[in-house]
Amino acid sequence: MQSIEALIPQAGFDDTAGLREVGAEEVARYVADPGHPWWRRRPCVIALTGRVPERYVPELIACVQDPQDTSEVRRALLDLLADRTELLPWLRHEDRASDTSYGMGEAFLKARGLLGDHSAARELATLAASPWRSARDAGDAGLDGLVDRYGADAILAELGEDHPEDREFRVWMRYRGDEDVTYALADPDRRVAYVAQSLATDADRLRAYLDEAPTTEAKVWAAYALYGLTENRAEARAVYERLGRPRVEVEGLDEEPAMRSSTSTVPVVSA
């Protein structure tokens, strides 16, 4: 059997299958030693998935809790130890806010969600609405953990609808439940409306919504979503004409059509 060093000869090159063949205790002992390079320790953490030796759990937790350890290893360990409820009091402690190591704030919240801490729902919803992929993925994973444990209705009730990110989460839950999301095309927050149009899958429902929508902007979102589904340019133009060729106002955006089409994310169907 090859050594861990031979299986991870340099950063970015690791033999995952080979590491899985190394004894779990040897791998855990390697991870727990911060003297080893982080780029070797992190693949070793992943190789421990589903086979963490109980005797090494305290040492691995100590690595998670050590702010001097490398954040890449600590984040991987939090994923590995996502079922260890003894971590929860430490994760919820106010001192975690002072740990500014790269990505750790997101990792703490994600872990709280995976461990069933419903008090993290508010922050996780905000994280899930982030424009940054890593933050969004962490928020989604944490919320999924809460939903798996308590059910979507309980988490939706916890969040309410006062914040755009809460309403965005509701749209996602309805989509996953094969429920209609067209109502959210009229959301006052354009990000929520954008998410709703991206998840709309029923062209007939969108056509019907064109007559039901309470605002012109909601109708434009519906037309945009409809075109995304059908790619029927003639239908999109006809809808645009029927709506009176609306132009959605965006504060601070030039009125020139060319400028609007090149800088705005708001859908405007061209004639």
Side-chain angles (χ1 to χ4, degrees):
M1 183 180 297
Q2 296 187 76
S3 68
I4 290 175
E5 285 77 8
L7 291 166
I8 316 173
Q10 57 183 303
F13 294 88
D14 53 89
D15 183 346
T16 304
L19 287 169
R20 293 285 296 176
E21 293 178 2
V22 178
E25 292 206 356
E26 180 181 347
V27 176
R29 187 164 55 249
Y30 194 96
V31 171
D33 183 353
H36 294 304
W38 73 265
W39 47 267
R40 282 197 173 114
R41 293 171 66 213
R42 185 179 183 279
C44 286
V45 173
I46 296 170
L48 284 173
T49 302
R51 58 179 193 133
V52 180
E54 191 66 27
R55 62 176 291 200
Y56 280 96
V57 168
E59 291 182 56
L60 298 178
I61 287 178
C63 291
V64 171
Q65 295 176 337
D66 181 4
Q68 302 305 313
D69 207 334
T70 309
S71 60
E72 284 82 355
V73 174
R74 297 173 70 201
R75 294 199 306 270
L77 280 169
L78 277 174
D79 287 341
L80 180 71
L81 303 173
D83 60 341
R84 307 302 304 202
T85 55
E86 61 264 43
L87 271 169
L88 195 50
W90 178 82
L91 287 166
R92 296 181 66 177
H93 196 279
E94 61 185 11
D95 285 352
R96 301 292 75 72
S98 63
D99 190 331
T100 57
S101 301
Y102 179 73
M104 290 310 301
E106 300 164 2
F108 293 150
L109 281 171
K110 174 185 173 181
R112 287 171 60 188
L114 293 174
L115 285 168
D117 179 10
H118 61 80
S119 70
R122 161 85 269 115
E123 292 172 281
L124 283 168
T126 300
L127 204 59
S130 170
W132 302 106
R133 179 63 180 271
S134 61
R136 193 164 63 247
D137 287 348
D140 286 341
L143 287 171
D144 285 346
L146 293 176
V147 169
D148 289 345
R149 188 178 294 250
Y150 303 111
D153 290 343
I155 304 307
L156 288 169
E158 180 90 22
L159 293 175
E161 296 192 6
D162 291 341
H163 302 89
E165 54 267 34
D166 302 339
R167 301 194 298 275
E168 181 178 334
F169 177 63
R170 183 177 296 275
V171 171
W172 275 105
M173 289 299 98
R174 288 181 65 90
Y175 170 74
R176 292 183 185 180
D178 289 326
E179 298 181 60
D180 182 31
V181 299
T182 52
Y183 75 94
L185 297 172
D187 195 278
D189 187 275
R190 284 175 175 163
R191 177 179 170 83
V192 178
Y194 177 81
V195 169
Q197 69 78 28
S198 72
L199 299 177
T201 58
D202 187 333
D204 288 338
R205 175 69 189 111
L206 287 167
R207 292 185 182 100
Y209 186 76
L210 285 167
D211 295 324
E212 303 169 9
T215 66
T216 297
E217 186 163 335
K219 294 179 180 182
V220 174
W221 279 117
Y224 183 56
L226 182 60
Y227 177 73
L229 287 176
T230 67
E231 296 187 355
N232 187 329
R233 189 179 298 271
E235 182 180 30
R237 285 174 174 163
V239 170
Y240 185 54
E241 292 293 341
R242 190 168 80 243
L243 294 178
R245 300 169 62 86
R247 296 176 68 188
V248 179
E249 294 185 6
V250 179
E251 185 178 353
L253 198 62
D254 196 290
E255 282 297 313
E256 276 297 315
M259 177 69 73
R260 182 179 297 276
S261 64
S262 65
T263 59
S264 174
T265 59
V266 178
V268 179
V269 182
S270 174

